[in-house]
Amino acid sequence: MNELKIVGKSIKKIDAKDKVDGTAVYPQDIYLENMAFGVTIRSTRPHAYIKVDTKEAEKIDGVIKVFTYKDVPGKNHHGVVLKDHEVFASKKVRRIGDPIAFIVAETKEIAEYAKNFVKVEYEEIPAVFDPEEAMKEESPKVHDRDNVFYHFKIRRGDVERAFLECDVIVENVYKVPMVDHAFLQPEAGVAYLDEDGRVVVIASTQYPHFDQEEIAESLGVNKDMVRVLTPAVGGAFGGREDITVQIHLAIAALTLKRPVKTIYSREESFLAHSKRHAMKMYYKTGALKDGTLLALEAKIIGDSGAYASWAMNVLRKAAVHATGPYYIPNVKVDSFAVYTNNPFTGAMRGFGATQVPIAYEQQIDILAEKLGLTPIEIRLKNCFREGSETSTGQILEGFIPLERCIEELKSF
Amino acid sequence: MNLKKIDVNINGKDYCLEVEENLRLIDLLRDKLHLTGTKEGCGEGECGACTVIMDGEIVNSCLVLAFQADKCRIITIEGIEDEIIKNSFIEEGAVQCGFCTPGMVLAAKSLLDKNLNPNEEEIREAISGNLCRCTGYNKIVSAIKKAASIKRGGDSE
């Protein structure tokens, strides 16, 4: 066989040299002529009606303009699946951190100073922070609709009858918290008009093509009038899939016809982007005496926070992975995505497949203990092999080396 | 805001500057001199992305005021010509998103300037003030080991 040129070789990253030299350009490293600086005013309340007064701030020497929802030329919304985010909160804030205004000034110092003069009046309304509470009919509504905005079901075999046949049943509730990506480069960006009058937005993003669409919609222009450039990205892990700086900068650059830059602090970065979904997982798993898994019933509730982001995809994936890599003939899974007034949740490394192992693997260990089997024995008995059928009916073909992987663990 | 006059040597070049009293060293480097290889990850001395070498010791430039650098010698990533360390980082795959990299290289440089034969614990101690969120620590450690070995005159491991 000819030696492969790439596979099996250690390839030097194409931008590694720039990164070790410190010359790789992240958005915060860009300085343009005549560049103004923007800072974002964010909600300090989780659920409230708001009134915003920018007049005093706009009188400050060096403040160019304070943008609010009234200054959005196109649609005041964005969102990767549902357009449920507002570019700037218009009537109501739904979480701590919702953007309300964007102050653009000659310098960062002036913009920061002007923050003290933007008056936001909050009329607080009842908020909900527990997704299970939010599922109740009488609970405060985060949007003008039911808080449960996604329900995914898996039905396979006859779970009720199968549990009657089980020799041992284990029932537990598992909870995992929100997690922040904390990528090392806080969000930053620069926008300006190019020689053809197009809005150019430079931002570290995972989705320049999505951003282009969302920016164009909020500007009320065609997509070809918007360019999104992605320079070096200082980590993302899913946390740069939703809009943060992009639309604010684009509106400011288009309106003011000059370059505008913004850089979030670490604290603002925590407020601005999504989190990993907190999940509460009710698990009931049943097996025969010999360890054969017979039935699984699971209810998985995902806290989507104030916005949907990728919740449908994440909760679907959590449900699809609910059995783990084990064959179970009778399965009933219900997963829900629920709005609350918490930070919004979205993509983060694993996309829902990361949360459920906490539940299904512990269930298997507890079952093994009750049956007098080792954790290895029960897994070898049930793990997916070539030709296994998953709870969604997929027949696994190709290379499924799970058995070998578990066998290898015997020596530890 | 009161201005203070400082004389500072940055990457071998003498500067005589007037700086605001509350200006941080990182802002002097980035905003005034556009030495943007120094990164700001947290602004509170936790992440080490803003690491520079000040009179031979690594410091977080977000926690040093610019006027405190008066009469000091500052080395930023732009002043590091140590190709052995840099190449070791590249070859060992120790560079991912790159935002921690300048700080890591400076922490490595500071260590190897004092100790050419560090053990693993000493290497980990030397980069303990620098966070990497791409979880590349093992490769960073092996890059520093490799650089030390080459500097000692040995082959790369």
Side-chain angles (χ1 to χ4, degrees):
Chain A
M1 201 173 98
N2 290 335
E3 207 182 328
L4 297 169
K5 282 186 185 148
I6 306 286
V7 176
K9 296 271 167 32
S10 207
I11 302 298
K12 289 179 194 173
K13 254 175 95 74
I14 198 161
D15 55 358
K17 178 85 175 93
D18 291 343
K19 286 173 172 174
V20 294
D21 284 342
T23 55
V25 174
Y26 301 81
Q28 37 269 85
D29 303 335
I30 297 168
Y31 295 83
L32 300 176
E33 194 78 17
N34 194 33
M35 189 167 74
F37 198 92
V39 303
T40 316
I41 302 275
R42 293 178 183 277
S43 159
T44 57
R45 311 295 154 86
H47 207 190
Y49 291 110
I50 53 162
K51 279 196 188 116
V52 190
D53 182 356
T54 62
K55 281 197 285 298
E56 288 304 310
E58 285 191 297
K59 280 183 203 157
I60 294 167
D61 207 21
V63 171
I64 305 160
K65 188 170 171 60
V66 181
F67 293 85
T68 67
Y69 73 97
K70 291 176 188 159
D71 304 296
V72 180
K75 295 261 170 52
N76 182 32
H77 71 199
H78 65 84
V80 288
V81 180
L82 302 181
K83 301 289 172 195
D84 56 359
H85 285 262
E86 287 188 299
V87 175
F88 296 110
S90 54
K91 295 186 189 71
K92 176 168 122 157
V93 291
R94 297 179 172 86
R95 61 164 178 135
I96 293 172
D98 263 350
I100 295 172
F102 190 59
I103 306 169
V104 179
E106 295 294 340
T107 66
K108 183 181 179 182
E109 291 68 30
I110 298 171
E112 289 286 354
Y113 174 71
K115 271 176 109 166
N116 303 311
F117 296 89
V118 173
K119 290 187 195 119
V120 183
E121 222 179 274
Y122 294 96
E123 185 201 321
E124 287 203 64
I125 50 177
V128 59
F129 304 104
D130 176 348
E132 276 187 307
E133 284 298 315
M135 290 172 89
K136 294 178 184 162
E137 206 168 325
E138 67 274 19
S139 172
K141 298 290 171 269
V142 179
H143 294 266
D144 298 329
R145 54 160 297 165
D146 196 20
N147 289 327
V148 179
F149 62 92
Y150 182 73
H151 177 192
F152 183 75
K153 297 176 192 176
I154 295 175
R155 301 287 183 265
R156 177 175 178 76
D158 184 342
V159 172
E160 269 178 47
R161 213 181 63 194
F163 276 122
L164 296 176
E165 291 167 22
C166 287
D167 295 309
V168 57
I169 295 171
V170 168
E171 230 178 316
N172 286 300
V173 186
Y174 301 88
K175 282 169 82 172
V176 291
M178 285 191 186
V179 178
D180 193 283
H181 319 73
F183 37 72
L184 203 55
Q185 176 229 337
E187 292 86 344
V190 175
Y192 59 92
L193 298 186
D194 71 8
E195 58 275 16
D196 299 320
R198 288 182 300 191
V199 182
V200 181
V201 179
I202 307 177
S204 296
T205 169
Q206 289 181 255
Y207 277 130
H209 53 299
F210 271 14
D211 291 0
Q212 184 200 29
E213 255 182 60
E214 303 219 79
I215 294 166
E217 197 163 295
S218 289
L219 294 182
V221 301
N222 288 333
K223 273 203 299 184
D224 62 353
M225 291 307 286
V226 177
R227 283 187 78 199
V228 177
L229 305 181
T230 310
V233 178
F237 322 126
R240 296 191 206 267
E241 298 198 12
D242 312 271
I243 290 285
T244 53
V245 301
Q246 295 90 326
I247 300 177
H248 297 169
L249 286 169
I251 292 172
L254 182 69
T255 309
L256 304 175
K257 313 235 176 310
R258 63 185 278 192
V260 183
K261 178 176 183 173
T262 192
I263 305 175
Y264 291 173
S265 65
R266 172 60 55 191
E267 192 180 349
E268 186 171 11
S269 174
F270 280 133
L271 291 172
H273 65 252
S274 70
K275 309 280 170 271
R276 174 175 281 162
H277 286 75
M279 288 187 193
K280 191 167 182 183
M281 303 172 282
Y282 292 87
Y283 260 69
K284 183 177 174 187
T285 318
L288 297 175
K289 270 200 195 91
D290 67 352
T292 304
L293 296 172
L294 208 58
L296 166 73
E297 186 174 352
K299 183 164 87 169
I300 303 166
I301 300 163
D303 184 354
S304 189
Y307 301 101
S309 184
W310 291 111
M312 301 73 141
N313 310 55
V314 169
L315 270 300
R316 185 193 312 128
K317 188 148 179 167
V320 168
H321 287 260
T323 67
Y326 306 109
Y327 174 70
I328 308 178
N330 302 283
V331 178
K332 181 182 176 204
V333 183
D334 290 273
S335 68
F336 301 90
V338 187
Y339 284 130
T340 65
N341 296 104
N342 287 325
F344 79 98
T345 51
M348 182 176 176
R349 311 222 67 175
F351 227 70
T354 336
Q355 288 92 329
V356 281
I358 297 288
Y360 65 68
E361 293 293 4
Q362 291 193 73
Q363 288 288 95
I364 302 255
D365 282 343
I366 297 165
L367 278 171
E369 202 180 338
K370 285 188 185 285
L371 291 166
L373 298 167
T374 68
I376 299 246
E377 284 165 347
I378 194 166
R379 284 178 173 79
L380 279 176
K381 186 143 205 86
N382 296 285
C383 74
F384 283 153
R385 294 169 168 81
E386 209 179 320
S388 294
E389 192 171 351
T390 71
S391 65
T392 52
Q394 182 186 356
I395 307 291
L396 298 173
E397 287 166 349
F399 188 52
I400 320 288
L402 200 54
E403 204 175 340
R404 192 176 126 204
C405 178
I406 297 168
E407 292 279 0
E408 296 268 333
L409 287 170
K410 278 184 178 168
S411 56
F412 286 93
Chain B
M1 186 59 63
N2 286 332
L3 294 176
K4 281 187 180 274
K5 247 191 180 151
I6 60 166
D7 294 304
V8 58
N9 182 288
I10 300 169
N11 299 332
K13 195 173 156 190
D14 288 320
Y15 292 84
C16 179
L17 302 162
E18 279 203 325
V19 296
E20 296 89 352
E21 271 182 336
N22 65 347
L23 189 78
R24 303 176 303 168
L25 179 57
I26 187 172
D27 301 322
L28 172 65
L29 296 170
R30 290 180 54 84
D31 293 341
K32 310 265 182 199
L33 305 174
H34 290 188
L35 293 167
T36 53
T38 304
K39 306 299 182 192
E40 180 164 0
C42 70
E44 52 189 47
E46 292 290 343
C47 77
C50 67
T51 300
V52 299
I53 299 176
M54 185 164 162
D55 288 344
E57 295 295 329
I58 49 172
V59 296
N60 289 313
S61 63
C62 73
L63 295 185
V64 177
L65 289 168
F67 76 79
Q68 293 176 303
D70 188 27
K71 312 273 189 304
C72 290
R73 295 177 67 83
I74 306 288
I75 298 169
T76 71
I77 190 67
E78 289 87 351
I80 298 286
E81 279 159 11
D82 193 319
E83 295 303 319
I84 294 175
I85 295 179
K86 289 181 178 178
N87 283 334
S88 299
F89 268 69
I90 297 171
E91 283 164 18
E92 289 298 302
V95 180
Q96 291 192 54
C97 89
F99 209 71
C100 76
T101 306
M104 289 287 184
V105 169
L106 284 158
K109 171 76 179 159
S110 173
L111 168 71
L112 298 182
D113 279 351
K114 291 167 198 144
N115 178 2
L116 267 186
N117 202 4
N119 61 32
E120 175 143 346
E121 201 181 322
E122 287 166 328
I123 293 173
R124 289 188 181 269
E125 177 72 31
I127 59 166
S128 62
N130 297 74
L131 296 181
C132 163
R133 278 296 287 173
C134 305
T135 64
Y137 293 110
N138 285 343
K139 295 194 172 205
I140 292 166
V141 170
S142 50
I144 298 172
K145 271 188 201 164
K146 180 176 186 166
S149 164
I150 296 171
K151 280 171 181 275
R152 287 195 306 269
D155 290 331
S156 59
E157 284 168 24

